Amino acid sequence: MRFLSGLSSFYKAHRLLINLSICLPPMALLSLSIGSTHIGIMALWQAVVGVGDPTSRLILGLLRLPRLCVGLAVGAILGMAGAVNQGYLRNPLADPSLLGTSNAAALGAVLAFYFGFSARFPICLPLFAFIGALAGLLPLLWFVRRHNDPQSLILGGVAIAAFSGACISLALNLSPNPFAAMEIMTWLMGAITDRSWNHVWLLIAPFFLSLFLFRRTAPALDALILGDDVAASLGFDLARLRWLIMAALAIGVGGAVAVSGAIGFVGLIVPHILRPFTRQLPSELLWPSAIGGALLVTLADILVRLLPTQNELQLGVVTAFIGVPIFFRQAIKGVGAMKSL
């Protein structure tokens, strides 16, 4: 009886996380089975154990399983990054792109494409994305030292995002041939199509390291609800917290952008959808947002394959169509709250 009571208490405390985790395996199986060639559950199992149709084994092992792994990892990084950003900035509309991280990482990757480094040395793509994300965040650290408040950080991030976007447009404009420009443009829309195990290996280190760093911010994010001064009086080093968040964003978002391109709105809408099911504490939103982000990207990737289009849509297009209405609804709520003051 005591064991059942403890199990019930554990479920109540982690209900959201458990429910999301239960949804993940069926969504993963659906993603593995859907495509131009349908693979049933039994055929999936036979492919996993190494028997059955050789074609199904090749499709699963070389195409769909790496694609699924990349989608889950990218979604988890972006979901938790959005939750951390919203907790730190105390702004429900914050996501990695708000601080310019996604645009700066995309700029770094575009430079790798533009100068041909990615074709000759594949490791240059994630490396340039990391460097771009870090280069976009360093001016913000200098800016925050002079104006230490979340609003100033947001304004600085918008400026970095605009500058990175302008540089990307310049690279497209000066692209030596239309095929290179098309390749860059297609990559910028975000996709996990035709990803291989090489992309999975590139993403492993950023995935685990960024989630570990994001998770370490949880106690300080809870304290920040009471304000910067109270959090500092409780013993939290806010300067160290900024560095921790910036490093995690550079590593995680840089890695995600390097393998999947710029997939927007995941870090914005996932924490927003899940927040009502928590006690409004940022720490309670981190892991659910990671799993929710993985679910959202996997669902969007399934929709990409199901939609009856001549050419497969880019993943970033689908997440944008999902995210814009939610963003607009949240913006209307924010305007209504300001008018009521």
Side-chain angles (χ1 to χ4, degrees):
M1 184 65 71
R2 183 178 300 175
F3 171 76
L4 292 177
S5 176
L7 194 62
S8 176
S9 300
F10 178 82
Y11 175 74
K12 289 179 180 178
H14 301 86
R15 182 182 303 169
L16 178 60
L17 191 59
I18 293 172
N19 290 340
L20 289 171
S21 300
I22 291 173
C23 294
L24 201 54
M27 190 71 70
L29 288 174
L30 187 61
S31 176
L32 291 175
S33 66
I34 287 178
S36 56
T37 300
H38 176 74
I39 302 177
I41 298 299
M42 184 58 67
L44 280 176
W45 171 251
Q46 290 174 344
V48 168
V49 298
V51 298
D53 182 23
T55 303
S56 297
R57 295 206 307 270
L58 284 174
I59 292 173
L60 182 67
L62 297 180
L63 297 175
R64 294 191 187 170
L65 198 54
R67 180 173 182 165
L68 173 65
C69 292
V70 168
L72 292 174
V74 167
I77 291 171
L78 296 179
M80 191 177 279
V84 169
N85 265 2
Q86 292 178 15
Y88 178 65
L89 298 175
R90 283 147 281 177
N91 185 334
L93 298 180
D95 75 337
S97 64
L98 189 63
L99 295 183
T101 313
S102 297
N103 284 34
L107 173 60
V110 164
L111 292 177
F113 275 119
Y114 183 82
F115 291 106
F117 296 133
S118 61
R120 285 177 286 177
F121 310 102
I123 193 64
C124 284
L125 186 59
L127 183 61
F128 274 53
F130 296 147
I131 294 173
L134 187 60
L137 289 170
L138 287 178
L140 289 184
L141 291 175
W142 172 83
F143 189 73
V144 169
R145 285 186 178 180
R146 298 171 63 98
H147 309 279
N148 190 12
D149 62 274
Q151 288 75 24
S152 297
L153 186 61
I154 292 172
L155 291 175
V158 170
I160 295 295
F163 177 76
S164 300
C167 291
I168 291 172
S169 299
L170 180 64
L172 288 170
N173 199 22
L174 299 179
S175 183
N177 63 72
F179 298 104
M182 182 60 68
E183 182 183 12
I184 292 173
M185 198 65 201
T186 301
W187 181 84
L188 283 173
M189 287 189 285
I192 56 175
T193 309
D194 298 329
R195 295 307 184 262
S196 67
W197 288 110
N198 290 332
H199 295 94
V200 177
W201 303 135
L202 286 173
L203 196 54
I204 284 178
F207 171 75
F208 285 107
L209 186 55
S210 63
L211 262 59
F212 171 75
L213 294 176
F214 282 139
R215 186 63 186 88
R216 293 197 61 182
T217 66
L221 293 179
D222 287 345
L224 280 174
I225 294 176
L226 304 174
D228 290 359
D229 294 336
V230 175
S233 68
L234 292 173
F236 293 102
D237 187 343
L238 299 186
R240 180 178 176 274
L241 175 65
R242 281 196 300 272
W243 275 104
L244 193 62
I245 292 175
M246 300 298 182
L249 285 172
I251 294 169
V253 176
V257 169
V259 299
S260 67
I263 299 176
F265 289 96
V266 176
L268 169 67
I269 63 180
V270 170
H272 172 69
I273 292 172
L274 299 179
R275 188 172 288 106
F277 301 99
T278 67
R279 294 180 298 172
Q280 305 296 322
L281 291 175
S283 61
E284 291 189 358
L285 198 56
L286 299 188
W287 285 116
S289 293
I291 299 177
L295 281 170
L296 177 63
V297 171
T298 305
L299 174 62
D301 189 44
I302 292 172
L303 291 176
V304 160
R305 283 175 271 177
L306 288 178
L307 291 173
T309 55
Q310 185 175 1
N311 296 319
E312 190 173 284
L313 289 178
Q314 297 297 101
L315 188 61
V317 175
V318 177
T319 58
F321 273 109
I322 296 173
V324 167
I326 297 175
F327 181 87
F328 192 62
R329 176 175 174 270
Q330 184 65 26
I332 291 174
K333 287 174 62 178
V335 172
M338 292 179 64
K339 287 183 177 179
S340 65
L341 293 177

